[in-house]
Amino acid sequence: MQAVRIHRFGGPEVMAIEEIDRPIPSANEVLIKVFAASVNPVDGKMREGKYPVVTEKDLPYVLGRDVSGQIAAAGDDVSSFLIGDEVFAFLSPEHGGYEEFVLARADEVAIMPKSLDAVGAAAVPLAGITAWQGLFDHGGLLQGQRVLIHGGAGGVGHLAIQFAKAKGAWVATTVSAADKEFVSDLGADQMIDYKSEKFENLIEPVDLVFDLIGGETQERSFNVVKPGGALISTLQEPDKARAAERDIRVGRYTAQPNGAQLQQIADLIDESKVKVVIASTFELREAAKAQAALKENHIRGKVVLKVVD
Ligand SMILES: NC(=O)c1ccc[n+]([C@@H]2O[C@H](COP(=O)([O-])OP(=O)(O)OC[C@H]3O[C@@H](n4cnc5c(N)ncnc54)[C@H](OP(=O)(O)O)[C@@H]3O)[C@@H](O)[C@H]2O)c1
C-alpha cells in the first residue's frame, strides 16, 4: 500500500510517498481502508520534529492523525464494528493517517455521519474532538453560559462555535474581517476582527475563553473572564499566578482519541446542528502542498487529502 512517510525531520521535502506493507490488526484494533485523511497543524509540527510525542526512535513515521474509511479487517476482540462499516477516527500518534490502510484501536473509531461524504467525515475527528474536549471536558461549558472562542474560522474553531451553540451557550469569536459573515452563519453571536479590533474592549465578561491562538491573545484574555470562569488553551499553559489572583481556572490540554465522543459529534452532524466546512482538498501525493496551504494560506474550515477517488 502507499503511505506518506518521513525518514528524518525537516521541511516539506522530507515527505515521501512510499510502498509499505499493509498492517495486520491486533486483538483490539481494526484495519481501516482510508478514503480521506485530514491535514492538521500538528502534522507539520511532527514533520519538523517539534512535537515531543514523535522522536527519532519513531522514524520512519507516517504523518496524519485522522481519517474516514471502511473497516477492512478486525482483531479477535472487536465486536463493535463489521467488515464494510463506514467509519471515521482520530488516531493515536503511533498510527498515521496519510496512507491507504491504517490501524486504529476500536475505541477510537465511530460510524461515519450518514449526511457527510468521505472528505467531510475525514475533516471532523481531530478538530471535532479537540473542540469537544476543550469546551466541555476542560472548559465545563454549560447551557446559558458565555464563551469567547479565539480563531473561530479555523478547523477546530468552526466546529467549536457550533458545538457551543448546540449546547445553548452564547458565543463570541475572533476572526479575520473577511470571516465575520462565515462565523455568523455558523451561529456566532458576536464577531470580532482580530486585526483591527480589541476583543477586551468589545465584549462583556465570559464564563470561558477557548484559546486556539496563544501568545498575547491568551494574555489579553485574562481581562474578559468572569471570576470563577475558565481560560483553556490548546497551545500553552496560561499563567497560573495571574489566574489565582483573578479566581480563574486555567489549563492547556492535548486532545485524546475518543470514539464515544466522536459518535456524539456524528449525531449532531446528522441532526443538522453542525456543518463541516472544507477549505480545500488535495491528492495523497500532494500532502506537502496541502500542509503548505494550511500553514501559509488563509484557512476557512479544513484541508483534506483524498486518498481514493
Ligand atoms: N492541544 C491539542 O490537542 C490541539 C489539537 C488541535 C489543534 N491544536 C492547535 O490549535 C490551533 C488551532 O488549530 P486549527 O486546526 O483550528 O488551526 P487552523 O485550521 O490553521 O486555524 C487557525 C485559524 O486561526 C485564525 N487566526 C490566526 N491568528 C489569529 C488571531 N490572532 N486571532 C484570531 N484568529 C486567528 C486563522 O485565521 P486567518 O487565516 O484569518 O489568520 C485561522 O482561521 C493550532 O495551533 C493547533 O496546533 C492543538
Side-chain angles (χ1 to χ4, degrees), residues 39-43 45 51 65 90 126-127 129-131 133 149-158 173-179 182 192-195 199 211-214 216-217 220 233-235 252-256 294-303:
V39 180
N40 293 285
V42 70
D43 303 349
K45 293 177 194 170
Y51 193 75
R65 301 296 312 278
F90 171 20
L126 184 147
I129 287 179
T130 302
Q133 293 178 354
I149 298 169
H150 288 306
V156 178
H158 90 288
T173 186
T174 52
V175 292
S176 289
D179 285 330
F182 169 65
I192 299 154
D193 169 11
Y194 77 84
K195 290 179 184 151
F199 62 84
D211 168 33
L212 300 169
I213 303 299
E216 56 108 26
T217 300
R220 285 158 47 212
S233 179
T234 58
L235 286 160
R252 185 258 167 212
Y253 71 102
T254 300
Q256 301 299 324
L294 180 65
K295 192 165 183 190
E296 286 149 29
N297 296 357
H298 173 77
I299 293 297
R300 193 180 275 178
K302 288 283 304 176
V303 175

Side-chain angles (χ1 to χ4, degrees), residues 20-146:
I20 62 170
D21 291 337
R22 188 186 297 189
I24 296 166
S26 58
N28 66 345
E29 289 179 329
V30 292
L31 180 69
I32 300 174
K33 176 178 167 45
V34 178
F35 293 159
S38 98
V39 180
N40 293 285
V42 70
D43 303 349
K45 293 177 194 170
M46 285 178 164
R47 189 200 69 222
E48 290 170 352
K50 293 181 180 159
Y51 193 75
V53 170
V54 181
T55 61
E56 294 278 347
K57 70 173 173 32
D58 302 305
L59 299 176
Y61 184 77
V62 181
L63 295 167
R65 301 296 312 278
D66 53 353
V67 296
S68 66
Q70 190 172 44
I71 303 283
D76 290 343
D77 294 348
V78 177
S79 54
S80 39
F81 298 100
L82 299 172
I83 308 297
D85 279 350
E86 293 197 343
V87 295
F88 63 159
F90 171 20
L91 307 161
S92 308
E94 59 268 28
H95 302 305
Y98 295 5
E99 57 185 345
E100 290 180 306
F101 289 86
V102 69
L103 293 176
R105 272 197 343 252
D107 64 4
E108 297 169 346
V109 178
I111 297 288
M112 221 170 96
K114 290 167 194 56
S115 54
L116 290 182
D117 63 10
V119 166
V124 174
L126 184 147
I129 287 179
T130 302
W132 192 273
Q133 293 178 354
L135 291 172
F136 306 128
D137 295 351
H138 300 279
L141 185 68
L142 299 172
Q143 183 179 11
Q145 289 190 329
R146 297 165 57 82

Side-chain angles (χ1 to χ4, degrees), residues 257-273:
N258 186 318
Q261 288 179 342
L262 193 53
Q263 205 63 67
Q264 286 179 268
I265 294 169
D267 291 345
L268 284 179
I269 292 168
D270 280 340
E271 289 160 16
S272 303
K273 290 184 178 149

Side-chain angles (χ1 to χ4, degrees), residues 199-229:
F199 62 84
E200 60 273 42
N201 297 339
L202 293 171
I203 67 166
E204 297 294 318
V206 295
D207 300 283
L208 172 65
V209 171
F210 184 34
D211 168 33
L212 300 169
I213 303 299
E216 56 108 26
T217 300
Q218 181 185 97
E219 284 164 26
R220 285 158 47 212
S221 295
F222 278 93
N223 300 324
V224 302
V225 183
K226 292 178 189 172

